[in-house]
Each structure stands twice: as structure tokens, then as C-alpha cells.
Amino acid sequence: MTTPFIRNHQYNFIKKQSNQVLHALRTVSDQRVLDTVRYRAAISIMEAFDDLTEYQERLLEPISTLATAYDFERYAASLEPYLEPYPPITPKQIQKLFPKTKKLKAPDLKTLDFRYITYLSWIDIASNRLFLIYPFEGQFVGLEGRITPTNKKGYCLFCNRQQELAFFSVMTKIGSTSPDHYSSVGQYICLENHVCNQNMTNTEALEKFILSARK
Ligand SMILES: [Zn+2]
């Protein structure tokens, strides 16, 4: 039975490691160096998972023996059935996460391929607001904030790639006793969440941001 165990960001990480090995195979002639590159890639991939069964390790291992671009393509394709999609979510659940917003312009869920989504987000252009939903510790966390395009490229906090950026700032309450005390948490992130989801190779920065912004 095919039990999914690879999340989108882990799959991106595997593809990134594959590209690095492929690049080394094309540019490095020293066999010992190549062996090291391959070995390191295999170890890094294993380490991207909290725990793996022996069967899962066997699925990931071939990276240390692949040789051609075609081999790497087949390797990536062989792992696709094991992709663990973003957990199922309904429009009702989405609405519940943003009770203050009456007319949410959430994306049409039927059009999304949830296998390639680490975080769900969309921009309401009319109000300049970004809505973000991330499955965290068994439940969905919703974040909402102002989004300001920078019209510049730079490093995105979430995916750590150089992309077209926007500044995302979320208001947070300071303490529960004084309702008037607000502060804001802001970061530069990809303007295009689709691109960001394709690039994310770990969830650390995203989770840290969510924790600091959801007070
Ligand atoms: Zn990004």
C-alpha cells in the first residue's frame, strides 16, 4: 500500500538535492568527490524527515546511485505517489478562521493541487490583505494582514529564494487585558504564493513567523 509521507517542502528539498548531484555529475570528474556529493545528498534527504520506515528509506536511497538526468526524473516521479497533500479543508472551515471578514475571496479549492501546497494563501487586492492558512500541530492556523508589494526582488522569509517580494504585516495583540494595545509583526515574503510553495524546502521560518504573529 502506498502511504503518503513526503510533504511538499520535503519533495522540493529532494528535487533540490537531485539537481545538486546532477550538477556535480556534469562538472566534477573526481570520483571520490562525486561519491561524497552523492552520499551527502542521501544523508541530507533522510535528515529532512523526522522518522522513516525501512521501506521509506529504500524509496529515497537511490539518489546515491543515479547517473543521468533521466534517472533523476524517474526518481522524482517514483516519489510522487508518496506525496502527502495539504490536509482537506472546506470553505466553511476557511470562513471560521477569519470570522471578522464577511466576504472572503478564498481560492476555488477544486482548482488547487494540494500535493504541492505547504501553505494556502490568497490576496484580496481590493483591501490589500493577505490571508494565509497553515496546518500546524493538527489544526489550521489562519493569519491575516496587510500586504504591500515592493516591486523589488529579494530573499523571501518563507522559501529563502530570491523572488519578487511583498511586505506582509500582521497586527498582534499585546497581552489579553488591554484590548487597545497592538503591535505588528512583518516580514518580506514572495508576492506569488504559488512560486513560494514550489520553492519551500523547509517550514522552519514559516512556522516561526506564524507563532510570532498569531498572539
Ligand atoms: Zn517565498
Side-chain angles (χ1 to χ4, degrees), residues 156 158-159 190 196:
C156 162
F158 296 163
C159 67
C190 283
C196 199

Side-chain angles (χ1 to χ4, degrees), residues 121-123 128-132 143-145 147 168 189:
S121 83
W122 68 96
I123 293 174
N128 280 324
R129 299 194 76 72
L130 181 135
F131 297 82
L132 188 156
L143 278 190
E144 180 198 343
I147 189 89
F168 179 38
I189 63 165

Side-chain angles (χ1 to χ4, degrees), residues 12-43:
N12 291 341
F13 184 74
I14 292 167
K15 285 195 288 186
K16 192 178 164 187
Q17 290 293 323
S18 295
N19 285 337
Q20 280 172 8
V21 176
L22 194 57
H23 179 75
L25 285 165
R26 282 171 177 160
T27 53
V28 178
S29 53
D30 188 328
Q31 195 56 47
R32 276 172 311 172
V33 175
L34 279 178
D35 287 345
T36 308
V37 172
R38 283 176 147 152
Y39 175 74
R40 280 206 189 130
I43 295 288

Side-chain angles (χ1 to χ4, degrees), residues 89-137:
I89 189 164
T90 63
K92 221 176 174 177
Q93 281 174 296
I94 293 179
Q95 182 63 63
K96 245 182 138 178
L97 288 167
F98 305 105
K100 283 183 202 154
T101 310
K102 293 225 172 68
K103 279 189 179 168
L104 271 183
K105 289 169 188 148
D108 183 358
L109 300 173
K110 282 184 248 93
T111 63
L112 301 173
D113 190 338
F114 285 97
R115 291 176 301 169
Y116 305 107
I117 292 178
T118 296
Y119 69 90
L120 186 66
S121 83
W122 68 96
I123 293 174
D124 183 345
I125 296 168
S127 61
N128 280 324
R129 299 194 76 72
L130 181 135
F131 297 82
L132 188 156
I133 304 171
Y134 181 67
F136 192 59
E137 293 174 345

Side-chain angles (χ1 to χ4, degrees), residues 162-202:
Q162 212 176 8
Q163 295 294 344
E164 190 76 32
L165 293 183
F167 189 70
F168 179 38
S169 102
V170 182
M171 295 293 270
T172 58
K173 259 186 203 168
I174 309 173
S176 51
T177 47
S178 49
D180 298 333
H181 286 80
Y182 283 94
S183 156
S184 70
V185 179
Q187 285 290 350
Y188 290 97
I189 63 165
C190 283
L191 183 62
E192 295 280 348
N193 69 65
H194 174 68
V195 177
C196 199
N197 271 299
Q198 273 177 351
N199 287 337
M200 272 186 79
T201 52
N202 73 68

